[in-house]
Structure formats: C-alpha cells, structure tokens
Amino acid sequence: MLSIFSRLFSTKDSTYQVLPTTSHSNDEDHHSKNGRNGHHPPPTSLKDVLTSRLIRRSGPFFLALFLFLAFSRVREYLERQPYHGLPDYKEIRAYEKRLPQHKMDLPWPEGKDGRFLRFTTPYHHIGFNNQLQDILMSAQLSYMSNRAYVFQPYMWNISNPEPVELDGKHYRSNWIPLNAFLGGPAAGGRFGPGTGITKSGERAPWEAPRSVSYDWYDEVCPLERRKHLDAGELRKHLGLVESDRGPANSTKEMLIGISTYLREIDDTCVTLTGDHIFTFSAFSDRILTSWDLLQESPVLNNFSWSPLVRGVVARNMHLFGDVSRWDDPFYKRRSAPTKDIPGLLALHLRRGDFIEHCDNLNHWASVWGGWNSFPAYRDKFPLTLAQAANMTYEERLPYYLPHCLPTVDELVSRLHVVRREWELGGQSGERKLKRAYLLTNAEPEYKKEAKERLLADGWEHVAMTSDLLVEQPEVEVDLAADMMIGQYAEVFVGNGFSSLTANINLLRMGRKVHMDSIRFL
C-alpha cells in the first residue's frame, strides 16, 4: 500500500520513491526529546490553546482536502495505466494509420484513384479463428477483384470499443487492431511484384493494391464516391446461392462470380452491405473447392504473423528449439522460425468450453469440415455425415469423445502412435520426434497428469501454452503465438472440430509441408 501511494504522489512520471518511514527506535528517540514518555506537553499559553482548537476544528476540512487530492491523483494514475492491465495498442494503431499506402498521391490502383472493397457486416461475438477464416477469404475476394481489401480490427462487440468484463475478475479488449495479430497482405503488407489482376482476371505486371484501414477508406472514399451493394442482392443478381441449408454454390464459384463482377464495374469505392458474403456453411467442406485459387495466391503465400506474435515465439524458442542446447537455461533463439522446428510435435488440445461443445457436436451429428477435411489427409473422422445422421446420440458417443475430448490415456496413446508412424515413414534415423508442445486451455490437474504420462512415454520434454513467457503488450495474442508454433512444428496433431486447427492446417498446406505431418486426435 505504501509503495502505491508513493507512486501516486511522486512528482516524477517514470520513477517513484518510497515515502520515508521511521523505525520504532527512531520514534522513541523523537518522543524522548519531547518528554512525558513520548507525549507532547499540553499547551500553556493562549496562543497554544487557540492554535490547538483551530487544528481540532479544521481537522475535518483538511482531511476532506487530503482525500480529494488523493482521489484526483489515483484517478490520474489509473488513467495512465492500461485498462485493467490490458494493452492499449497505441503504437500498433499509429502504425496502421501511417501505412505507406495511406497516401493520396500514389499511382493507380492505389491512392486517390485507387480501387477499394469494404465489408460492413463483420462477424462478431465469435472467436479470433472464426473471424480469421472470414478475413482471409474476404482478402482473397478483394485480391481477385483487383481492389484493396479494407481491413478492420478484431471485434468482439462491434457497438462498443471498451473492454468487456468476462467473469467479474478478468477483462478482454473488445477491439484489437488487426496488426496486433497479423502481418502480410491481409493486414496491409505487400503482395509482391507481378501480382496485379487485369479486368479479365489474368495476372498483371503491376503489384496488387495493398490492404487499407477502415479510417483510410473513410478519408479516401467520401460518401458521394461510394457504391453500396447488398451482398444478398448481388448473389441473387449473379445467380449464386449461399445457404447454410440445402444446395449452394461452392466457395470457389462464389469467389470467381463476385470478383468478376467487381473487376468489371468502374466504381472505385465499393461497400458491401447486408448479409455476409461467406456464411458459416462456406467454411465447411465447400471451402476446399477454393484451394487451387488460394495455393497460388499471395494472400496465403505471403501470410505472416505480426511482430508482436513473432516476438512471443522467438522469446520462447528455448522451450522447443535447438536440441543440442536444450540443457542451457540461458539459450534463446533471437528469431521466430521460418521453417520446420525439428523434433517438435505440436498438439491442439482444446478443453474448457469444448467440454460442453463436444457434447453439442455429438447431438448435432457434426463431422470434420473445412480445411480439416482434405481428402489427402491420413486421418479422417470415422463417420460420414450420413452415417452420423443415422445413429443415435449414444451410438455416436464412442466416436466423438476420443477425437474431441480425449482422456489422458487416449492422448498419450495417440501421440505414441503418431510419433511411431512418423519416424517409420522416413529413412532410418531421418525423423525423430523428441519434444511435445500442447496448445491447450486444459485444467491444471489434466495438464499435470498429461505431462507426467508423456514424459514417462519417452518424450524428452513437454511444454504447454501456460509455459510461454508473455509480456504485458502480448497478453491477448498468445493464441496466435500458439498457432505459429503449430504452423512450424515438424508434426501437428489437431482437433478436427476446431477452427483454430483448420487455420493452422491451411497455413501448413500453404507452406507445402508433407501431408503426413498433419494429423488429428
């Protein structure tokens, strides 16, 4: 408490001093000088009497004044601090504001005569990875339209930028700038030379227009210049069907049809309103049809994580890095990986909300979909959609729990099998998995038992999300750091029902990893 008040009342902003205190012996020395065993002598003169009465009567006033000043300093102190310990992202917001493409005098297709595509109906109240799926597909549609994608923050609640209370003790930011998570073309990075798209859809010698922020769109595209298109009406006009139920066009057909239309119209500032272009069903197995477009796209091939995320991974490379320096506690690799981390198996072990969600998946008779359902994967969900639909909840239960919410026994056994199969699949001694990293929100008891059992099964080292050293500005991007570790692990084992796993698998496919290195629980 003393150090808090000393910080509040210090005249310096960058440092604070502890208020001086006196020891018990010093108190006795002070008191002995005034006699009466440390008590002040009573006043003996009229002046002393009046002064004493004035002090007693004015005491409440001075107390109130003190409390008022103290409260003012407390409020001033709190206003200087991040909201409930959350980052303020001021530097990242400033970085987004000064992106080099935010200039009026740039040549076409950027600058004041540039071509832009803005989406005004963002997903919200869903997790980062659900939004990331939409971000990547929206950036791809913009790229194919030869338009700058207008990116926005990650938003939990689109109507309120203030942090939201989670459980009375913890808070999360409602709006987080996209560049806290991502780099690359979707967040304003370069596409590279020769990535432009002609009106007919062919590659052009110019560079594709870089993504811009919402704020820059408002500046470069005044209201009278904007062309508003209702997404639902546009699909209807183009004869495209996007539905969560019943027949629908493939995601590839949606991308080609809408981008062709957007390339051909002369309006430079296009704002898509109304319904989402891509509904959740677009991220089911229908999305696989777009793979041949994405695998040649700079949106995927130039994808990168933000410096903030890469910094977390670089700082923690000692948890899963160079085997030869494993025993050196001071070893730190100074850069995040750009190729496979040898010897590392990363596992996505989702628990927490999945304890309930896995039960829901069984009730819905769901199966793996999206980027988790490539036919070339070695592992496939044991039931087809038709088989699951024709079984009862109880009959499906043994198929769902091991793949969605495994016990520790099932987890250890599964990683043992994956390790053995991976090592047998290479030349003698070429492949050797030694370390395991768990991307997990599991409860402490589960993590403790899992680590003990995995070590007993022959893994040299086991680390988890909770082992990451994360600094204050990074506390809300550790999920992305987990994903980067999964992206660059020699082998990744995912949860086929998870969008986080799906996005890691997409990024691994973009890196053209060996298909056998993508496995599932």
Side-chain angles (χ1 to χ4, degrees), residues 131-412:
Q131 292 197 30
L132 179 59
Q133 289 178 326
D134 187 65
I135 288 168
L136 294 177
M137 295 307 294
S138 298
Q140 177 66 18
L141 176 60
S142 303
Y143 166 67
M144 293 174 61
S145 306
N146 194 35
R147 294 177 180 274
Y149 169 57
V150 182
F151 66 82
Q152 58 197 15
Y154 164 70
M155 293 184 285
W156 179 254
N157 184 340
I158 62 175
S159 62
N160 179 18
E162 292 300 316
V164 60
E165 182 178 333
L166 297 180
D167 54 11
K169 298 179 181 178
H170 301 92
Y171 290 78
R172 65 177 295 171
S173 298
N174 254 333
W175 293 8
I176 300 176
L178 187 60
N179 276 269
F181 292 104
L182 303 184
R190 302 200 74 100
F191 284 80
T195 54
I197 302 292
T198 67
K199 204 166 190 177
S200 62
E202 303 297 323
R203 279 287 183 98
W206 60 79
E207 181 173 359
R210 291 165 288 182
S211 302
V212 300
S213 70
Y214 249 46
D215 290 340
W216 176 248
Y217 182 85
D218 287 337
E219 185 172 344
V220 74
C221 290
L223 292 176
E224 63 273 11
R225 187 180 164 190
R226 300 180 194 179
K227 172 75 170 181
H228 289 83
L229 295 174
D230 181 272
E233 291 299 319
L234 177 60
R235 285 196 298 263
K236 184 178 179 180
H237 172 73
L238 298 174
L240 298 170
V241 178
E242 170 70 339
S243 174
D244 285 330
R245 298 181 181 178
N249 286 93
S250 70
T251 306
K252 179 179 180 179
E253 291 170 331
M254 300 283 291
L255 285 167
I256 292 175
I258 297 174
S259 65
T260 299
Y261 176 83
L262 292 175
R263 283 198 309 272
E264 292 176 349
I265 62 175
D266 294 328
D267 303 272
T268 55
C269 297
V270 175
T271 298
L272 291 174
T273 63
D275 193 13
H276 296 100
I277 284 290
F278 304 103
T279 67
F280 276 116
S281 68
F283 303 117
S284 64
D285 53 3
R286 289 170 49 205
I287 203 172
L288 298 183
T289 61
S290 65
W291 171 242
D292 62 329
L293 300 175
L294 278 172
Q295 68 176 333
E296 302 296 333
S297 170
V299 172
L300 180 61
N301 293 332
N302 293 355
F303 176 92
S304 68
W305 296 104
S306 70
L308 202 62
V309 172
R310 297 200 304 271
V312 176
V313 178
R315 185 185 310 114
N316 289 279
M317 282 298 293
H318 63 287
L319 294 177
F320 30 75
D322 189 342
V323 180
S324 66
R325 311 217 21 212
W326 186 251
D327 294 328
D328 182 354
F330 300 104
Y331 169 62
K332 297 285 189 299
R333 281 182 60 168
R334 295 302 179 187
S335 60
T338 56
K339 57 184 180 179
D340 283 352
I341 304 172
L344 179 68
L345 178 146
L347 164 70
H348 179 208
L349 180 65
R350 178 82 172 264
R351 291 182 65 83
D353 61 321
F354 256 45
I355 294 174
E356 179 180 351
H357 188 55
C358 291
D359 187 60
N360 291 334
L361 292 167
N362 185 11
H363 276 293
W364 300 330
S366 301
V367 296
W368 297 348
W371 303 119
N372 291 333
S373 58
F374 269 106
Y377 287 154
R378 182 169 183 167
D379 301 321
K380 297 173 178 61
F381 191 64
L383 299 176
T384 66
L385 193 59
Q387 289 172 329
N390 290 321
M391 298 170 65
T392 66
Y393 170 87
E394 288 74 18
E395 290 172 335
R396 290 191 297 264
L397 200 58
Y399 296 96
Y400 278 79
L401 290 182
H403 297 286
C404 189
L405 199 71
T407 64
V408 172
D409 284 342
E410 291 167 338
L411 168 67
V412 173

Side-chain angles (χ1 to χ4, degrees), residues 7-121:
R7 181 187 294 236
L8 296 178
F9 290 100
S10 170
T11 58
K12 300 179 180 179
D13 290 332
S14 59
T15 60
Y16 68 93
Q17 300 173 349
V18 177
L19 293 175
T21 60
T22 53
S23 66
H24 180 68
S25 59
N26 286 340
D27 285 345
E28 289 181 342
D29 290 341
H30 172 72
H31 294 161
S32 63
K33 294 177 182 179
N34 291 285
R36 291 189 177 268
N37 297 322
H39 295 288
H40 292 280
T44 56
S45 66
L46 178 61
K47 179 181 178 182
D48 289 339
V49 171
L50 293 176
T51 301
S52 177
R53 290 179 179 178
L54 178 61
I55 292 175
R56 287 199 303 270
R57 292 178 180 179
S58 59
F61 167 78
F62 285 111
L63 177 61
L65 178 62
F66 170 80
L67 292 176
F68 171 78
L69 294 174
F71 174 77
S72 299
R73 295 305 299 269
V74 167
R75 182 175 61 184
E76 178 185 345
Y77 170 75
L78 291 176
E79 287 175 350
R80 294 200 308 265
Q81 307 309 306
Y83 195 110
H84 296 285
L86 298 177
D88 57 25
Y89 301 110
K90 287 182 180 178
E91 292 183 0
I92 297 177
R93 296 183 205 280
Y95 166 79
E96 290 186 344
K97 187 173 182 179
R98 64 174 185 268
L99 284 171
Q101 59 266 40
H102 292 170
K103 295 179 181 178
M104 291 289 188
D105 59 354
L106 293 176
W108 183 92
E110 297 181 329
K112 61 182 177 60
D113 297 319
R115 294 168 59 84
F116 306 93
L117 181 59
R118 177 176 180 174
F119 301 77
T120 61
T121 311

